[in-house]
Structures are given as structure tokens and as C-alpha cells.
Amino acid sequence: MTGSSAPHPDMVPVLALGDVLLVTLQGALHDEVSERLQQDITQRIANSTTPVSGVVIDISGVEIVDSFLGRILAEIAGSARLLAAQTVLAGMRPAVAITLVELGLTLPGLKTALDVDSALSLLGRTPPSGAADRPEAGA
């Protein structure tokens, strides 16, 4: 079917919450998808009609981060910073943090937060209304 607006299954959606972009990563990301995500975020920041001041990347659904994805995350933060936007990495699992340290990846330019609400607070934004009323996953 032509003209469909459904995203490609290998694409990661980039959502706008006011002047903040929210990206939620799930599962393992192929290298091509990671590179496309980097391009998508950079283009969204540069081409937005409303200035983008922040990018929140939620990795709570990611169990493994390799050196390539770590480099892509650092490059996203670097590109965003050059375009006057801050990047916050939210929801990092302990095993992912340990892996990043073992790989020697410091992720310069990335702030971290325990969850998306905390990431939005770091950027000086309030979570979407009703976020505090949602039950936690698995509760």
C-alpha cells in the first residue's frame, strides 16, 4: 500500500513533548537502525519549527549496550549539543552501566536520570499530566 504513514518496523519513533524530543529504545538495535536514529534526531532538532532544547533517550527497554551503540549515543549528545539541545539518558539498567564502564565508554555530553520523569525534571520540564498517576510496569 502506498502513502501509508505507518513507521517502518525497524525505525525508532521520535516523539515531541513541547520543546523536548523523547526517544524510547526497546530491545537490541541493529547498527543501521542506530545510525538512522542519530540522523533522525539531528534532523528533527535542526529542522523543527519550535526550537528543541532537550532530548530524552529512554533505554530502560535495552538490556545490552555494545561499544557501537554507546558511541552512537555519545554522538547523538554531541550533535544535539552543537544544535543547542541537552541530552539525557534515562532508565539505564545496572548491567548496562557496568558494561559501559567495562568497555571504557564515558558517554561525554550525556546526563543520566533514573527514569523519564527525572530526565524531564533535569531539563527543567514537568512530566506529562497524569504521569504520576500511572502504575509502574510490573506493579
Side-chain angles (χ1 to χ4, degrees):
M1 174 185 269
T2 59
S4 173
S5 62
H8 186 277
D10 287 337
M11 290 182 63
V12 177
V14 179
L15 306 173
L17 298 174
D19 64 342
V20 175
L21 299 180
L22 174 62
V23 181
T24 301
L25 304 181
Q26 297 290 323
L29 294 178
H30 299 291
D31 291 355
E32 300 85 21
V33 175
S34 299
E35 289 176 334
R36 182 71 200 151
L37 175 63
Q38 179 183 8
Q39 293 170 0
D40 289 347
I41 291 172
T42 303
Q43 288 176 357
R44 288 282 299 269
I45 295 169
N47 298 328
S48 177
T49 56
T50 304
V52 173
S53 66
V55 177
V56 174
I57 303 173
D58 179 9
I59 63 167
S60 59
V62 176
E63 294 187 28
I64 299 172
V65 173
D66 61 10
S67 59
F68 182 78
L69 181 56
R71 183 176 59 90
I72 291 292
L73 292 171
E75 288 177 2
I76 289 170
S79 296
R81 189 172 48 255
L82 289 173
L83 295 169
Q86 296 179 41
T87 303
V88 180
L89 196 60
M92 186 180 305
R93 295 172 184 240
V96 170
I98 291 168
T99 301
L100 290 174
V101 169
E102 288 174 349
L103 291 171
L105 297 175
T106 58
L107 305 179
L110 273 170
K111 295 181 179 182
T112 57
L114 292 177
D115 55 33
V116 171
D117 290 347
S118 299
L120 291 171
S121 294
L122 265 177
L123 293 172
R125 307 299 175 277
T126 55
S129 63
D133 301 330
R134 286 190 307 235
E136 291 294 320

